[in-house]
Amino acid sequence: MSLTRFLRFFAAITAAALLAGGAQAADDAQRQEAELVWAQRPIVTFRVPYNGADPPGRVARARARIAELEQRFLPLEFEEVPITITESGAPRPGIALRASDIVLFTLLTEDLEPGHTLNLQQTMAAARERLKSAVSASREQRRPDVIMRGILHAALATVVAGIALWLLLRAIGYMRQRLQIPDAPDAPQASVSLAAHGRMLLLRALQIAGAAVGFALVYAWLAYVLHKFPATMPISLRLGEMVWQTLANLGAGIAAAIPGLLTVALIMLFAEGLSRAARSAFRAVQSGRLAIPGVHRETAGATRRIVVFGIWVLAIVAAYPYIPGSGSGVFQGISVLIGAMVTLGSSGIANQIMSGLTLVYSRALKRGEHVIIGAPGNEVEGVVTEVGALATRIVTMRNQEATVPNAVVVGNPIRNFSRQSGEDGTLVSAKVTIGYDTPWRQVHAMLEEAARRTPGVRARPAPRVLQAALSDFYVEYELLVNIDRPLERLQIMSGLNANIQDVFNEYGVQIMSPHFLGQPADPVVVPRSRWHAAPATPPG
């Protein structure tokens, strides 16, 4: 395409767009509306141009002629004159409103409200009565006696409203003193009783009610004062209509919401009954009073929580459409926002919950079991106190509570010392190395004697001794004992090791740790006479 053709094409497109824009502007001007208002009172609405003026221009002309009517103090005797407009070639009927020699405004058929049942004559008659009332009110407003009477009524209303507000503030202060609420309720206190919280909530409710009553008093005062002046009387009437319309809408909304609220209440009551039944059944399984196929005592608690959660989720889904306002865009937008926040922020929580369910339903851990979680060098050892939805709590040997996320527990090895022991308690062991010159039967007997002397070691099952290894210089013996209190394992093992040393010293048997390069001539033992000797004096 040549440059000349392109410029011609662009000019054609631009001209078409301008023509379309002009037509649209003319169409918008054709549809433009303007309302004639006098003395705060609506008179009539113009919707089409007439006599070279658009609807706002027609309003300006009408206001100028009504002002002339008032300046000349002409009588309020209006005459309706039928006319026929021949603009644009087609005859259009209309009615002109005249007062004496002044044509106030003209109403055309096109000015009628679309879909309205009133014809042109009825619409003009209603506009004439409204204009007569507005002009009368405007003239009344200029009378000094009317103004003085309005001022006196406004002053009296102001005094009454002020006294009522003062009494309201005094009543709130009196109730505050009676409730004995401190000036700083958020200040730290040693203990806050339930009654104090109740009084605080009651005070807040009284303050809200007092603010509502105060607002109603000011609103009523304003409406009353405006009603006492003819020029502002329509504003007062609109304020009253606004209140009644609001109350009517509120009442209609409450009445319309009652069936939905009753349905929601029935759904919630039904869900509560089902959840109570589920709780009772699974608690009976957990205590052993009831057997449900596929549900174990260890998993009954988690299954109960899942079932109850599912019941309430279904209840909320069923009740959602009946909640008042659930169909509004704001309610739906908030629901979408909350759903997005939960979806984006709960990925880690969902991982922990699923890991917790894996632990529960695999029955890998149980409360009261002695376990070690993790690889050597990075493990946690203790007694399980809780397998929660998000984490597992363990009390360590040093009486410290360790909280391990369920995902970490699932991803690491678990060594359970209590699962296979059953009612025999937790199995622990102690190792010693003894030379080959000591009969192994004597070593067995000495280790069993040390176990019998140690508090916390169970007599049944009896302590056992294993020969774990035959090394180059010594034999490795392992003493296996059972204890009832896993949390005291460190103290029990300390006592057991001390008794092992005492028994071997009593019988003159040398413990071969640390390693020796050569066999000493005499056994390396501590004689009984030195068991309780005073500590040596430090050198220097």
Side-chain angles (χ1 to χ4, degrees):
M1 180 183 291
S2 64
L3 180 61
T4 304
R5 290 182 179 180
F6 175 77
L7 292 176
R8 290 177 180 176
F9 177 76
F10 180 76
I13 293 296
T14 304
L18 291 176
L19 290 175
Q24 182 68 29
D27 192 28
D28 291 341
Q30 184 73 14
R31 291 195 300 266
Q32 188 178 11
E33 297 181 358
E35 185 178 35
L36 173 61
V37 179
W38 190 262
Q40 309 298 330
R41 292 162 172 82
I43 307 301
V44 71
T45 300
F46 301 126
R47 293 182 171 85
V48 294
Y50 170 66
N51 197 16
D54 58 358
R58 294 175 63 187
V59 169
R61 289 180 182 177
R63 290 183 60 84
R65 292 167 183 174
I66 295 173
E68 181 183 355
L69 172 69
E70 290 213 22
Q71 290 174 2
R72 293 170 58 181
F73 292 99
L74 296 175
L76 300 181
E77 297 178 357
F78 300 133
E79 181 183 2
E80 299 176 11
V81 181
I83 60 175
T84 300
I85 309 300
T86 58
E87 293 181 356
S88 302
R92 298 156 57 192
I95 298 178
L97 186 65
R98 186 172 63 185
S100 185
D101 59 343
I102 303 175
V103 178
L104 301 175
F105 58 84
T106 301
L107 190 63
L108 306 178
T109 305
E110 291 84 349
D111 291 324
L112 299 180
E113 183 178 356
H116 204 273
T117 58
L118 298 180
N119 56 26
L120 185 61
Q121 289 76 16
Q122 294 170 334
T123 302
M124 177 57 83
R128 180 190 61 197
E129 296 301 323
R130 287 193 292 267
L131 179 60
K132 183 181 295 186
S133 175
V135 174
S136 299
S138 178
R139 291 179 177 179
E140 284 286 321
Q141 186 62 36
R142 295 188 179 93
R143 292 174 50 187
D145 58 331
V146 173
I147 296 175
M148 290 303 300
R149 185 166 59 251
I151 292 174
L152 290 176
H153 282 90
L156 180 60
T158 302
V159 172
V160 173
I163 295 174
L165 289 174
W166 180 78
L167 291 175
L168 179 64
L169 293 176
R170 293 284 295 178
I172 294 176
Y174 174 76
M175 292 301 299
R176 183 184 182 89
Q177 293 178 355
R178 293 288 296 174
L179 292 173
Q180 298 178 356
I181 300 296
D183 292 334
D186 296 331
Q189 301 177 358
S191 61
V192 181
S193 63
L194 183 61
H197 284 295
R199 291 194 298 269
M200 189 180 302
L201 290 175
L202 181 59
L203 176 63
R204 294 291 182 265
L206 288 174
Q207 289 175 339
I208 294 174
V213 173
F215 177 77
L217 285 173
V218 172
Y219 196 91
W221 166 82
L222 180 62
Y224 180 82
V225 170
L226 293 176
H227 192 270
K228 291 304 175 181
F229 296 92
T232 57
M233 186 182 297
I235 301 177
S236 172
L237 296 177
R238 284 196 290 270
L239 288 176
E241 292 176 358
M242 187 186 304
V243 171
W244 290 115
Q245 186 64 34
T246 302
L247 293 177
N249 293 337
L250 182 61
I254 293 175
I258 288 177
L261 292 175
L262 290 177
T263 304
V264 171
L266 290 176
I267 293 174
M268 293 297 110
L269 289 175
F270 183 70
E272 176 64 20
L274 282 181
S275 62
R276 284 179 179 271
R279 291 191 192 99
S280 300
F282 286 108
R283 286 194 178 114
V285 173
Q286 195 170 8
S287 62
R289 294 181 287 108
L290 179 65
I292 298 178
V295 180
H296 301 278
R297 295 181 61 178
E298 297 84 356
T299 62
T303 307
R304 181 188 75 245
R305 290 190 288 269
I306 293 174
V307 170
V308 171
F309 177 77
I311 289 173
W312 282 108
V313 167
L314 292 176
I316 292 173
V317 170
Y320 180 86
Y322 301 98
I323 299 176
S326 60
S328 64
V330 175
F331 198 98
Q332 294 175 356
I334 293 176
S335 302
V336 172
L337 177 62
I338 294 175
M341 293 173 61
V342 171
T343 301
L344 295 176
S346 63
S347 58
I349 297 177
N351 184 24
Q352 302 297 338
I353 292 175
M354 296 306 297
S355 299
L357 293 177
T358 302
L359 288 175
V360 170
Y361 286 98
S362 65
R363 294 182 287 173
L365 294 177
K366 189 169 61 175
R367 183 176 180 181
E369 291 183 336
H370 178 206
V371 298
I372 296 179
I373 300 174
N378 193 27
E379 69 270 10
V380 177
E381 180 180 1
V383 175
V384 178
T385 58
E386 180 186 358
V387 181
L390 301 177
T392 299
R393 289 183 172 84
I394 296 175
V395 177
T396 66
M397 303 297 105
R398 290 175 174 80
N399 200 28
Q400 299 172 346
E401 184 180 75
T403 301
V404 186
N406 287 333
V408 175
V409 178
V410 171
N412 282 277
I414 302 173
R415 286 174 284 174
N416 195 321
F417 296 94
S418 303
R419 183 61 57 85
Q420 298 300 326
S421 300
E423 297 180 357
D424 294 337
T426 300
L427 183 67
V428 296
S429 66
K431 294 180 180 180
V432 293
T433 54
I434 309 298
Y436 285 98
D437 55 337
T438 304
W440 63 266
R441 293 176 178 84
Q442 181 183 2
V443 176
H444 283 212
M446 287 189 296
L447 290 174
E448 292 170 358
E449 174 63 22
R452 283 191 291 270
R453 293 183 183 183
T454 305
V457 174
R458 297 188 58 167
R460 292 287 183 274
R464 287 98 60 201
V465 180
L466 303 177
Q467 297 187 34
L470 300 177
S471 301
D472 293 339
F473 303 101
Y474 51 78
V475 179
E476 182 178 340
Y477 296 89
E478 184 175 6
L479 173 63
L480 302 177
V481 298
N482 293 81
I483 61 177
D484 287 327
R485 299 184 298 274
L487 290 178
E488 299 178 9
R489 187 179 68 86
L490 292 180
Q491 295 87 340
I492 296 174
M493 291 304 299
S494 176
L496 179 61
N497 290 330
N499 288 324
I500 289 173
Q501 294 182 69
D502 288 344
V503 171
F504 277 68
N505 286 328
E506 289 177 6
Y507 289 93
V509 177
Q510 175 184 335
I511 298 176
M512 301 296 290
S513 299
H515 300 168
F516 290 90
L517 295 178
Q519 182 68 27
D522 299 321
V524 182
V525 297
V526 180
R528 181 182 291 272
S529 60
R530 292 178 54 194
W531 284 5
H532 304 287
T537 303

